Coordinates of all heavy atoms in Angstrom, one line a residue:
M1 N 47.7 -13.2 2.6 CA 46.6 -12.7 3.3 C 47.1 -11.6 4.3 O 48.1 -11.7 4.9 CB 46.0 -13.8 4.1 CG 44.9 -13.4 5.0 SD 44.1 -14.6 6.0 CE 44.6 -16.2 5.6
S2 N 46.2 -10.6 4.4 CA 46.5 -9.5 5.4 C 45.4 -9.6 6.5 O 44.2 -9.7 6.1 CB 46.5 -8.1 4.7 OG 47.5 -8.1 3.8
V3 N 45.8 -9.4 7.6 CA 44.8 -9.5 8.8 C 45.2 -8.3 9.8 O 46.3 -7.9 10.0 CB 45.0 -10.7 9.7 CG1 44.1 -10.8 10.8 CG2 44.7 -11.9 8.7
I4 N 44.1 -7.6 10.2 CA 44.3 -6.5 11.2 C 43.6 -6.8 12.5 O 42.6 -7.5 12.5 CB 43.9 -5.2 10.6 CG1 42.4 -5.2 10.3 CG2 44.7 -4.7 9.5 CD1 41.8 -3.8 9.9
L5 N 44.3 -6.4 13.6 CA 43.8 -6.6 14.9 C 43.1 -5.3 15.3 O 43.7 -4.2 15.3 CB 44.8 -7.0 15.9 CG 44.3 -7.1 17.3 CD1 43.3 -8.3 17.5 CD2 45.5 -7.4 18.3
I6 N 41.8 -5.4 15.5 CA 41.0 -4.1 16.0 C 40.6 -4.3 17.4 O 40.1 -5.3 17.8 CB 39.8 -3.9 15.0 CG1 40.3 -3.7 13.6 CG2 39.0 -2.8 15.5 CD1 39.1 -3.6 12.6
L7 N 40.7 -3.2 18.2 CA 40.3 -3.2 19.5 C 39.1 -2.3 19.4 O 39.1 -1.1 19.1 CB 41.4 -2.5 20.5 CG 41.0 -2.1 21.9 CD1 40.4 -3.3 22.7 CD2 42.1 -1.4 22.6
Y8 N 38.0 -2.8 20.0 CA 36.8 -2.1 20.2 C 36.6 -1.7 21.6 O 36.5 -2.4 22.5 CB 35.5 -2.9 19.8 CG 35.4 -3.1 18.3 CD1 35.9 -4.2 17.7 CD2 34.9 -2.2 17.4 CE1 35.8 -4.4 16.3 CE2 34.7 -2.3 16.1 CZ 35.2 -3.5 15.5 OH 35.2 -3.7 14.2
L9 N 36.8 -0.3 21.7 CA 36.6 0.3 23.1 C 35.2 0.7 23.3 O 34.7 1.5 22.5 CB 37.5 1.6 23.2 CG 39.0 1.3 23.1 CD1 39.8 2.6 23.0 CD2 39.5 0.5 24.4
C10 N 34.4 0.1 24.2 CA 33.1 0.4 24.3 C 32.7 1.1 25.7 O 33.4 0.7 26.7 CB 32.3 -1.0 24.3 SG 32.6 -1.9 22.8
A11 N 31.7 2.0 25.7 CA 31.4 2.7 26.8 C 30.8 1.8 28.0 O 31.0 2.1 29.2 CB 30.5 3.8 26.6
D12 N 30.1 0.7 27.6 CA 29.5 -0.2 28.5 C 29.4 -1.6 27.9 O 29.8 -1.8 26.9 CB 28.1 0.3 29.0 CG 27.2 0.5 27.8 OD1 27.3 -0.3 26.8 OD2 26.3 1.4 27.8
A13 N 28.9 -2.5 28.8 CA 28.9 -3.9 28.4 C 27.9 -4.2 27.3 O 28.0 -5.3 26.7 CB 28.5 -4.8 29.7
T14 N 27.0 -3.3 26.9 CA 26.0 -3.6 25.8 C 26.7 -3.5 24.5 O 26.2 -4.0 23.5 CB 24.9 -2.6 25.8 OG1 25.5 -1.3 25.5 CG2 24.2 -2.7 27.1
R15 N 28.0 -2.9 24.4 CA 28.8 -2.7 23.3 C 28.0 -2.0 22.1 O 28.1 -2.4 20.9 CB 29.3 -4.1 22.7 CG 30.2 -4.7 23.8 CD 30.9 -5.9 23.2 NE 31.8 -6.5 24.1 CZ 32.1 -7.8 24.1 NH1 31.7 -8.6 23.3 NH2 33.0 -8.3 25.0
T16 N 27.2 -1.1 22.5 CA 26.3 -0.4 21.5 C 27.1 1.0 21.1 O 26.8 1.5 20.0 CB 24.9 -0.1 21.9 OG1 25.0 0.6 23.2 CG2 24.2 -1.3 22.1
N17 N 28.0 1.5 21.9 CA 28.6 2.6 21.7 C 30.2 2.4 21.7 O 30.8 2.6 22.8 CB 28.3 3.8 22.7 CG 28.9 5.1 22.4 OD1 29.4 5.3 21.3 ND2 28.9 5.9 23.4
C18 N 30.8 1.9 20.5 CA 32.2 1.5 20.5 C 33.0 2.4 19.6 O 32.4 2.8 18.6 CB 32.2 0.1 20.3 SG 31.4 -1.1 21.3
Q19 N 34.3 2.4 20.0 CA 35.2 3.1 19.1 C 36.2 2.1 18.6 O 36.8 1.3 19.4 CB 35.9 4.2 19.9 CG 37.0 4.8 19.1 CD 37.7 5.9 20.0 OE1 37.3 6.2 21.2 NE2 38.8 6.4 19.5
A20 N 36.5 1.9 17.3 CA 37.4 1.0 16.8 C 38.8 1.6 16.6 O 38.9 2.7 16.1 CB 36.9 0.5 15.4
V21 N 39.8 0.9 17.2 CA 41.2 1.4 17.1 C 42.0 0.2 16.5 O 42.0 -0.9 17.0 CB 41.7 1.7 18.5 CG1 43.2 2.1 18.5 CG2 40.9 2.7 19.1
R22 N 42.7 0.5 15.4 CA 43.6 -0.5 14.8 C 44.8 -0.7 15.7 O 45.5 0.2 16.1 CB 44.0 0.0 13.4 CG 45.0 -1.0 12.8 CD 45.3 -0.5 11.3 NE 46.2 -1.5 10.7 CZ 46.4 -1.5 9.4 NH1 45.8 -0.7 8.7 NH2 47.2 -2.4 8.9
A23 N 45.0 -2.0 16.1 CA 46.1 -2.3 17.1 C 47.3 -2.9 16.5 O 48.5 -2.6 16.9 CB 45.6 -3.2 18.2
E24 N 47.2 -3.7 15.4 CA 48.3 -4.4 14.8 C 47.8 -4.9 13.5 O 46.6 -5.0 13.2 CB 48.8 -5.5 15.8 CG 50.0 -6.2 15.3 CD 51.2 -5.4 15.2 OE1 51.8 -5.2 16.3 OE2 51.5 -5.0 14.1
S25 N 48.8 -5.3 12.7 CA 48.5 -6.0 11.4 C 49.6 -7.0 11.0 O 50.7 -6.9 11.5 CB 48.3 -5.0 10.3 OG 49.6 -4.3 10.1
W26 N 49.2 -8.0 10.3 CA 50.1 -9.1 9.9 C 49.8 -9.4 8.4 O 48.7 -9.2 7.9 CB 49.8 -10.3 10.7 CG 50.2 -10.3 12.1 CD1 51.4 -10.6 12.7 CD2 49.3 -9.8 13.2 NE1 51.3 -10.4 14.1 CE2 50.0 -9.9 14.3 CE3 48.0 -9.4 13.2 CZ2 49.5 -9.6 15.6 CZ3 47.4 -9.1 14.4 CH2 48.2 -9.1 15.6
N27 N 50.8 -10.0 7.7 CA 50.7 -10.4 6.3 C 51.4 -11.8 6.3 O 52.2 -12.1 7.0 CB 51.5 -9.5 5.4 CG 50.9 -8.1 5.3 OD1 49.7 -8.0 5.1 ND2 51.6 -7.0 5.5
G28 N 50.7 -12.6 5.3 CA 51.3 -13.9 5.2 C 50.3 -15.0 5.4 O 49.2 -14.8 5.8
P29 N 50.7 -16.3 5.1 CA 49.8 -17.4 5.2 C 49.3 -17.8 6.6 O 48.3 -18.3 6.7 CB 50.6 -18.5 4.6 CG 52.0 -18.2 4.8 CD 52.1 -16.6 4.7
H30 N 50.0 -17.3 7.7 CA 49.7 -17.6 9.0 C 49.2 -16.3 9.7 O 49.1 -16.4 11.0 CB 50.9 -18.3 9.7 CG 51.2 -19.6 9.1 ND1 50.5 -20.7 9.1 CD2 52.3 -19.8 8.4 CE1 51.1 -21.7 8.4 NE2 52.2 -21.1 8.0
A31 N 48.8 -15.3 9.0 CA 48.5 -14.0 9.6 C 47.4 -14.2 10.6 O 47.3 -13.6 11.7 CB 48.3 -13.0 8.6
Y32 N 46.3 -14.9 10.2 CA 45.1 -14.9 11.0 C 45.4 -15.7 12.3 O 45.0 -15.2 13.4 CB 43.9 -15.6 10.2 CG 42.6 -15.5 10.9 CD1 41.9 -14.3 10.9 CD2 42.2 -16.6 11.7 CE1 40.7 -14.2 11.6 CE2 41.0 -16.4 12.4 CZ 40.3 -15.3 12.3 OH 39.1 -15.2 13.1
E33 N 46.1 -16.8 12.2 CA 46.5 -17.5 13.5 C 47.3 -16.7 14.4 O 47.1 -16.7 15.6 CB 47.2 -18.8 13.1 CG 46.4 -19.8 12.4 CD 46.3 -19.6 10.9 OE1 46.9 -18.6 10.3 OE2 45.5 -20.4 10.2
R34 N 48.2 -15.9 13.9 CA 49.1 -15.0 14.7 C 48.2 -14.0 15.4 O 48.3 -13.6 16.6 CB 50.2 -14.4 13.9 CG 51.2 -15.4 13.6 CD 52.2 -14.9 12.5 NE 52.8 -13.6 12.8 CZ 53.4 -12.9 11.9 NH1 53.4 -13.3 10.6 NH2 53.9 -11.7 12.3
C35 N 47.2 -13.4 14.6 CA 46.3 -12.4 15.2 C 45.5 -12.9 16.3 O 45.3 -12.4 17.4 CB 45.4 -11.8 14.0 SG 44.3 -10.6 14.6
V36 N 44.9 -14.1 16.1 CA 44.1 -14.8 17.1 C 44.9 -15.1 18.4 O 44.4 -14.8 19.5 CB 43.4 -16.0 16.6 CG1 42.7 -16.8 17.7 CG2 42.4 -15.8 15.5
D37 N 46.0 -15.5 18.2 CA 46.9 -15.8 19.4 C 47.2 -14.4 20.2 O 47.0 -14.5 21.5 CB 48.2 -16.3 19.0 CG 48.2 -17.8 18.5 OD1 47.1 -18.4 18.8 OD2 49.1 -18.3 17.9
V38 N 47.4 -13.4 19.5 CA 47.7 -12.1 20.2 C 46.3 -11.6 20.9 O 46.4 -11.2 21.9 CB 48.2 -11.1 19.2 CG1 48.2 -9.7 19.9 CG2 49.6 -11.5 18.8
A39 N 45.3 -11.7 20.2 CA 44.0 -11.3 20.6 C 43.6 -12.1 21.9 O 43.1 -11.5 22.8 CB 42.9 -11.4 19.6
L40 N 43.8 -13.3 21.9 CA 43.5 -14.1 23.1 C 44.3 -13.7 24.3 O 43.8 -13.6 25.4 CB 43.6 -15.6 22.8 CG 42.6 -16.2 21.9 CD1 42.9 -17.7 21.5 CD2 41.2 -16.1 22.5
G41 N 45.6 -13.5 24.0 CA 46.5 -13.1 25.1 C 46.2 -11.8 25.7 O 46.2 -11.6 26.9
L42 N 45.9 -10.8 24.7 CA 45.5 -9.5 25.3 C 44.2 -9.5 26.0 O 44.0 -8.8 27.1 CB 45.5 -8.5 24.1 CG 46.8 -8.2 23.4 CD1 46.6 -7.4 22.2 CD2 47.7 -7.4 24.4
T43 N 43.3 -10.3 25.5 CA 42.0 -10.4 26.3 C 42.2 -11.0 27.6 O 41.6 -10.4 28.5 CB 41.0 -11.2 25.4 OG1 40.8 -10.7 24.2 CG2 39.6 -11.4 26.1
Q44 N 43.0 -12.0 27.8 CA 43.2 -12.6 29.1 C 43.9 -11.6 30.1 O 43.7 -11.7 31.2 CB 44.0 -13.9 29.0 CG 43.3 -14.9 28.3 CD 44.1 -16.2 28.0 OE1 45.3 -16.1 28.2 NE2 43.5 -17.2 27.5
E45 N 44.7 -10.6 29.5 CA 45.4 -9.7 30.4 C 44.5 -8.6 30.8 O 44.9 -7.9 31.8 CB 46.6 -9.1 29.6 CG 47.7 -10.1 29.4 CD 48.9 -9.6 28.6 OE1 48.8 -8.3 28.3 OE2 49.7 -10.3 28.2
M46 N 43.3 -8.4 30.3 CA 42.4 -7.4 30.7 C 41.7 -7.8 32.0 O 41.6 -9.0 32.4 CB 41.3 -7.3 29.7 CG 41.6 -6.4 28.5 SD 40.1 -6.1 27.6 CE 40.6 -6.2 25.9
T47 N 41.3 -6.8 32.8 CA 40.5 -7.1 34.0 C 39.1 -7.6 33.6 O 38.7 -7.3 32.5 CB 40.4 -5.8 34.9 OG1 39.7 -4.8 34.2 CG2 41.7 -5.3 35.4
A48 N 38.5 -8.3 34.5 CA 37.2 -8.8 34.1 C 36.2 -7.8 33.7 O 35.5 -8.0 32.7 CB 36.7 -9.6 35.4
P49 N 36.0 -6.6 34.4 CA 35.1 -5.6 33.9 C 35.5 -5.2 32.5 O 34.6 -4.9 31.7 CB 35.2 -4.5 34.9 CG 35.8 -5.1 36.1 CD 36.7 -6.2 35.7
N50 N 36.8 -5.0 32.2 CA 37.1 -4.5 30.9 C 36.9 -5.6 29.7 O 36.6 -5.3 28.6 CB 38.7 -4.1 30.8 CG 38.7 -2.7 31.4 OD1 37.8 -1.9 31.3 ND2 39.9 -2.4 31.9
R51 N 37.0 -6.9 30.2 CA 36.7 -8.0 29.2 C 35.2 -8.0 28.8 O 34.9 -8.3 27.7 CB 37.0 -9.3 29.9 CG 38.4 -9.8 29.4 CD 38.6 -11.2 30.1 NE 39.6 -11.0 31.0 CZ 39.5 -11.5 32.2 NH1 38.6 -12.3 32.6 NH2 40.5 -11.2 33.1
D52 N 34.4 -7.5 29.7 CA 32.9 -7.4 29.4 C 32.6 -6.2 28.5 O 31.7 -6.3 27.6 CB 32.2 -7.2 30.7 CG 32.1 -8.4 31.6 OD1 32.4 -9.5 31.0 OD2 31.9 -8.3 32.8
R53 N 33.5 -5.2 28.6 CA 33.1 -4.0 27.7 C 34.0 -3.9 26.4 O 33.4 -3.6 25.4 CB 33.5 -2.7 28.5 CG 32.6 -2.4 29.6 CD 32.7 -1.1 30.2 NE 34.1 -0.7 30.4 CZ 34.7 -0.5 31.6 NH1 33.9 -0.7 32.7 NH2 35.9 -0.1 31.7
H54 N 35.2 -4.3 26.5 CA 36.1 -4.2 25.2 C 36.4 -5.4 24.6 O 36.3 -6.5 25.4 CB 37.4 -3.5 25.7 CG 37.2 -2.3 26.5 ND1 36.3 -1.3 26.2 CD2 37.8 -1.9 27.7 CE1 36.4 -0.3 27.1 NE2 37.3 -0.7 28.1
R55 N 36.7 -5.5 23.3 CA 37.0 -6.8 22.7 C 38.0 -6.5 21.6 O 38.1 -5.5 21.0 CB 35.9 -7.4 22.2 CG 35.1 -6.7 21.1 CD 33.8 -7.5 20.8 NE 33.0 -6.6 19.9 CZ 32.4 -7.0 18.9 NH1 32.4 -8.2 18.4 NH2 31.6 -6.2 18.2
F56 N 38.8 -7.5 21.3 CA 39.7 -7.6 20.2 C 39.1 -8.5 19.0 O 38.6 -9.5 19.4 CB 41.1 -8.1 20.6 CG 41.8 -7.3 21.5 CD1 41.8 -7.4 22.9 CD2 42.7 -6.3 21.0 CE1 42.5 -6.6 23.8 CE2 43.5 -5.4 21.8 CZ 43.3 -5.6 23.2
V57 N 39.2 -8.0 17.9 CA 38.7 -8.7 16.7 C 39.8 -8.8 15.6 O 40.3 -7.8 15.3 CB 37.4 -8.0 16.2 CG1 36.9 -8.7 14.9 CG2 36.4 -7.9 17.2
C58 N 39.9 -10.0 15.0 CA 40.9 -10.1 13.9 C 40.0 -10.0 12.6 O 39.0 -10.8 12.5 CB 41.5 -11.5 14.0 SG 42.6 -11.7 15.4
E59 N 40.4 -9.1 11.8 CA 39.6 -8.9 10.5 C 40.5 -9.1 9.3 O 41.7 -8.6 9.2 CB 39.1 -7.5 10.5 CG 38.0 -7.2 9.5 CD 37.4 -5.8 9.8 OE1 36.7 -5.7 10.8 OE2 37.6 -5.0 8.9
T60 N 40.1 -10.0 8.4 CA 40.9 -10.4 7.3 C 40.5 -9.4 6.2 O 39.4 -9.1 5.9 CB 40.4 -11.8 6.8 OG1 40.7 -12.7 7.8 CG2 41.3 -12.2 5.6
L61 N 41.6 -8.9 5.5 CA 41.4 -8.0 4.4 C 41.4 -8.8 3.1 O 42.2 -9.7 2.9 CB 42.6 -7.0 4.2 CG 42.8 -6.1 5.5 CD1 44.0 -5.2 5.3 CD2 41.5 -5.2 5.8
G62 N 40.4 -8.5 2.2 CA 40.3 -9.3 0.9 C 41.5 -9.0 0.0 O 42.2 -8.0 0.2
E63 N 41.7 -9.9 -0.9 CA 42.8 -9.8 -1.8 C 42.7 -8.5 -2.7 O 43.6 -7.8 -3.0 CB 42.9 -11.0 -2.8 CG 43.3 -12.2 -2.1 CD 44.6 -12.2 -1.5 OE1 45.5 -11.7 -2.1 OE2 44.8 -12.7 -0.4
E64 N 41.5 -8.1 -3.0 CA 41.3 -6.9 -3.8 C 41.3 -5.6 -3.1 O 41.4 -4.5 -3.6 CB 40.0 -7.0 -4.6 CG 38.8 -6.9 -3.7 CD 38.4 -8.1 -2.9 OE1 38.9 -9.2 -3.3 OE2 37.4 -8.1 -2.1
A65 N 41.2 -5.7 -1.8 CA 41.2 -4.5 -0.9 C 42.7 -4.0 -0.7 O 43.6 -4.7 -0.6 CB 40.6 -4.9 0.5
K66 N 42.7 -2.7 -0.7 CA 44.0 -2.0 -0.4 C 44.1 -1.6 1.1 O 43.1 -1.0 1.6 CB 44.0 -0.7 -1.3 CG 44.1 -1.1 -2.8 CD 44.2 0.2 -3.6 CE 44.1 -0.1 -5.0 NZ 42.9 0.4 -5.7
P67 N 45.1 -1.9 1.7 CA 45.3 -1.5 3.1 C 44.9 -0.2 3.5 O 44.4 0.1 4.5 CB 46.7 -1.9 3.5 CG 47.1 -2.9 2.5 CD 46.4 -2.5 1.3
A68 N 45.2 0.8 2.6 CA 45.0 2.2 2.9 C 43.5 2.5 3.1 O 43.1 3.3 3.8 CB 45.5 3.1 1.8
E69 N 42.7 1.7 2.4 CA 41.2 1.8 2.5 C 40.6 1.4 3.9 O 39.5 1.7 4.2 CB 40.5 1.0 1.4 CG 40.8 1.5 0.0 CD 40.2 0.6 -1.0 OE1 39.5 -0.3 -0.7 OE2 40.4 0.9 -2.2
H70 N 41.4 0.6 4.6 CA 40.9 0.0 5.8 C 41.6 0.5 7.1 O 41.4 0.0 8.1 CB 41.1 -1.5 5.8 CG 40.3 -2.2 4.7 ND1 39.0 -1.9 4.5 CD2 40.7 -3.2 3.9 CE1 38.6 -2.7 3.5 NE2 39.6 -3.4 3.1
K71 N 42.3 1.6 6.9 CA 43.0 2.2 8.2 C 41.8 2.8 9.0 O 41.0 3.6 8.6 CB 43.9 3.4 7.8 CG 45.2 2.8 7.2 CD 46.2 3.7 7.0 CE 47.5 3.2 6.5 NZ 48.5 4.2 6.2
V72 N 41.9 2.4 10.3 CA 41.0 3.0 11.2 C 41.6 4.1 12.0 O 42.7 3.9 12.7 CB 40.5 1.9 12.2 CG1 39.6 2.5 13.2 CG2 39.9 0.7 11.4
Q73 N 41.1 5.3 11.8 CA 41.6 6.5 12.5 C 41.0 6.6 13.9 O 39.8 6.7 13.9 CB 41.4 7.7 11.6 CG 42.1 7.6 10.3 CD 43.7 7.7 10.4 OE1 44.2 8.1 11.4 NE2 44.3 6.9 9.6
P74 N 41.8 6.6 14.9 CA 41.1 6.8 16.2 C 40.6 8.2 16.4 O 41.3 9.1 16.0 CB 42.3 6.5 17.1 CG 43.5 6.7 16.4 CD 43.2 6.4 15.0
A75 N 39.4 8.3 16.9 CA 38.8 9.5 17.2 C 39.2 10.0 18.7 O 39.3 9.2 19.5 CB 37.3 9.4 17.1
F76 N 39.5 11.2 18.7 CA 39.8 11.7 20.1 C 38.5 12.1 20.8 O 37.7 12.7 20.3 CB 40.7 13.0 19.9 CG 42.0 12.7 19.4 CD1 42.4 13.0 18.1 CD2 43.0 12.1 20.2 CE1 43.6 12.8 17.6 CE2 44.3 11.9 19.7 CZ 44.6 12.2 18.4
I77 N 38.4 11.4 22.0 CA 37.2 11.7 22.8 C 37.7 12.2 24.2 O 38.8 12.1 24.5 CB 36.5 10.4 22.9 CG1 37.3 9.3 23.6 CG2 35.9 10.0 21.6 CD1 36.6 8.0 23.9
H78 N 36.7 12.7 24.9 CA 37.1 13.4 26.1 C 37.0 12.4 27.3 O 37.3 12.6 28.4 CB 36.1 14.5 26.4 CG 36.2 15.7 25.4 ND1 37.2 16.4 25.4 CD2 35.4 16.0 24.5 CE1 37.1 17.3 24.4 NE2 36.0 17.0 23.8
Q79 N 36.6 11.2 27.0 CA 36.4 10.1 28.0 C 37.7 9.4 28.1 O 38.4 9.1 27.0 CB 35.3 9.2 27.6 CG 34.6 8.5 28.8 CD 33.3 7.8 28.4 OE1 33.1 7.8 27.2 NE2 32.6 7.4 29.2
S80 N 38.0 8.8 29.2 CA 39.3 8.0 29.3 C 38.9 6.6 29.6 O 38.1 6.3 30.4 CB 40.1 8.6 30.6 OG 41.2 7.8 30.8
F81 N 39.5 5.7 28.9 CA 39.4 4.2 29.1 C 40.6 3.6 29.7 O 41.6 3.9 29.3 CB 39.0 3.5 27.8 CG 37.8 3.9 27.1 CD1 37.8 4.9 26.1 CD2 36.6 3.3 27.5 CE1 36.6 5.3 25.6 CE2 35.4 3.7 27.0 CZ 35.4 4.7 26.0
R82 N 40.4 2.9 30.8 CA 41.6 2.2 31.4 C 41.4 0.7 31.4 O 40.4 0.2 31.5 CB 41.7 2.6 32.9 CG 41.9 4.1 33.0 CD 42.1 4.5 34.4 NE 42.2 6.0 34.4 CZ 42.4 6.6 35.6 NH1 42.3 6.0 36.7 NH2 42.5 7.9 35.5
M83 N 42.6 0.1 31.1 CA 42.6 -1.4 31.0 C 43.4 -2.0 32.1 O 44.4 -1.4 32.5 CB 43.1 -1.8 29.7 CG 42.2 -1.4 28.5 SD 43.0 -2.2 27.1 CE 41.6 -2.2 26.1

C-alpha cells in the first residue's frame, strides 16, 4: 500500500481556499498508520490559529494508481503562510 501525507494550506478557517502540498509518502503494510502518527504529531506542533486553518491528510493510493499521477505540485503564490 502507498500513502501520501498532504498538507492543506488554507487562507482562513473556512478551508474554502486551500493549496495542497505533498509533504511525505510511505509504502508498505503499515504505511497508513505511520502517516497518521506523523500527521497527528505535526498537527499538535502547530499553533492554535494554524490548527484551525491548515490540516494534514493521509491519502491512500489505489493499487492500480501510479504514484506519478498523484504528485501534487505546489503552486507559487505571493502570500506567505507561517506555522
Side-chain angles (χ1 to χ4, degrees):
M1 171 183 352
S2 296
V3 177
I4 59 174
L5 177 63
I6 298 174
L7 168 60
Y8 286 96
L9 295 169
C10 304
D12 57 34
T14 64
R15 295 184 179 158
T16 56
N17 183 16
C18 300
Q19 174 186 351
V21 179
R22 181 178 178 159
E24 184 63 80
S25 63
W26 294 268
N27 294 309
H30 302 289
Y32 189 79
E33 290 83 1
R34 290 169 51 199
C35 181
V36 169
D37 288 343
V38 170
L40 290 174
L42 291 171
T43 300
Q44 290 173 354
E45 290 176 9
M46 283 191 217
T47 62
N50 282 333
R51 263 184 253 132
D52 291 339
R53 289 194 313 249
H54 313 312
R55 65 184 168 134
F56 288 95
V57 176
C58 294
E59 201 170 287
T60 305
L61 302 178
E63 293 297 322
E64 69 283 348
K66 297 181 183 116
E69 294 174 5
H70 295 315
K71 283 188 180 173
V72 178
Q73 296 297 326
F76 292 102
I77 57 175
H78 298 288
Q79 203 168 15
S80 173
F81 293 97
R82 295 183 183 178
M83 294 185 160

